[in-house]
Amino acid sequence: MHPDLTALAAPRLGVFTAREAVRTGYRPDEIRSELSSGHWCWLRRGVHVRAQDLAHAESDARLRHLVDGIAVLLCLAPGPVLSQASAARVHRLVLPGHVDGTVRLTDARQWRRGRDDVVTRASLPDGDLVGLLDFAVTGPGRTLVDCAREWGVEDAVVAMDAALRSGLVDRQDLRAAVLRATHWVGVGDAARAFGLADGRAESPLESRGRLALVEAGLPRPELQVEVHGPRGLVARVDAWYEEAGVAVEFDGRVEYLDPVGGREPGEVLWREKRREDRLRELGIRVVRLVQEDVAPRRRRELAVRVGALLAEPMTGPAFPCRPHCRTGWGRAAVAASS
C-alpha cells in the first residue's frame, strides 16, 4: 500500500476511505483490483481496510468492533462519538451477554438508525469525552451511566463494580456522571445501580451474589473482610455478616477447574477445605454460593438458607475482623459514599 495511505490509516487501525486512496494516487480501477484480489477488504461503502490489518483485529473482539466503529464514523459527518456499549468495549467494561455487535454512537444534533449502527441524540459536554485514535469516545463514567440507562440494574452493577475495582473510575466521578444525566430517560436505573455498586467485589459472581442476597430480603453484607484468629489472619472472606458470624463465599467453577498460578485443581480444593476448617474452628458459619444459587428463581430458597443462619445467635469465641481495603474501599469509604 502507498506509504502516504499507510500513514493516514495507521492511527485508525488501518481503516481508510476510497477518497483517501484516490488522493494518494490510486485510480478507481486499482482500488477495485485491490478489493477483488483480497489485499483490501470492504467494510462499508467507500470504506476499506487492508486484509492483514483486518486479520489482526479479528483476533480481538474489542478491536474488531472498534474497526467497525471507525468505519461508521468515517461514513458520517463530523459530530458523532462512540458511546454506550461500543464505548464500553473500548474501556474494557464488563458487558452482559445480550449486547450485540451494533455500533453505538451519540451526537448532539441528530438521531439516526443504520443497518448495524445507531446514533442517539444527547448532549456531549467536553468533560464526558476522551480521545480515541483520530476520534472521540464517551469517558468511562458517562459510558457506565449511558449503559445503565439501557441495561438491567444487575448488569449495570456488575460493570460498575469492576470499573471501580480496577480504578477506571472512582465514586466521585461516577456520581457526577449520574447527576449530569438527571433528566434523561432511564437515569433512575443508573442512579439505583450506582447506589448498589461496590468496588470491593472481585468478580461478576460476587456482584450478582451480593445483589441476590439483598433482593432476597437479607441485609447487605460487608465485603472482603479479613478474619483473624489467635495466631493472626485466618482468611479473607467474600462477604461477611458480623453480628451473626456468618461468612459467605462465592464459588466459580473456573477457580477449581482452571486455577491460576499453575496450581493443580486438587491442591486448590485442599487449600480451600483447610481454610474453611480454620474458619469453622472459630465458630464461624460458612455459606458457599455458586452461580445457580444466586439465580432469580432461587431467591426464596436463598432467603431461607442464609436467613436461618442470620437468625441464630453467634456461639463461637470473639475474634477480630476488619475490611480488606483496596483502591480506597473499606467501611469508612462505603459509609462516606452512601
Side-chain angles (χ1 to χ4, degrees), residues 8 29 34 38 41 44 51 84 86 113 121 123 139 148 153 161 165 192 200 208 238 244 250 258 308 311:
L8 190 66
D29 62 302
E34 294 287 353
C41 299
R44 285 176 170 258
Q84 286 108 329
S86 293
R113 179 179 292 275
R121 183 178 179 181
S123 62
V153 171
D161 279 2
R165 176 173 171 76
R192 182 180 174 213
R200 294 170 298 175
R208 296 184 189 282
D238 295 335
F250 300 104
D258 187 20

Side-chain angles (χ1 to χ4, degrees), residues 73 75-81 107 109-110:
L73 288 167
C75 289
L76 301 176
V81 303
D107 191 301
R109 298 168 297 179
Q110 64 170 319

Side-chain angles (χ1 to χ4, degrees), residues 95-111:
L95 272 70
H98 61 76
V99 173
D100 61 20
T102 301
V103 175
R104 299 299 305 274
L105 308 103
T106 296
D107 191 301
R109 298 168 297 179
Q110 64 170 319
W111 181 94

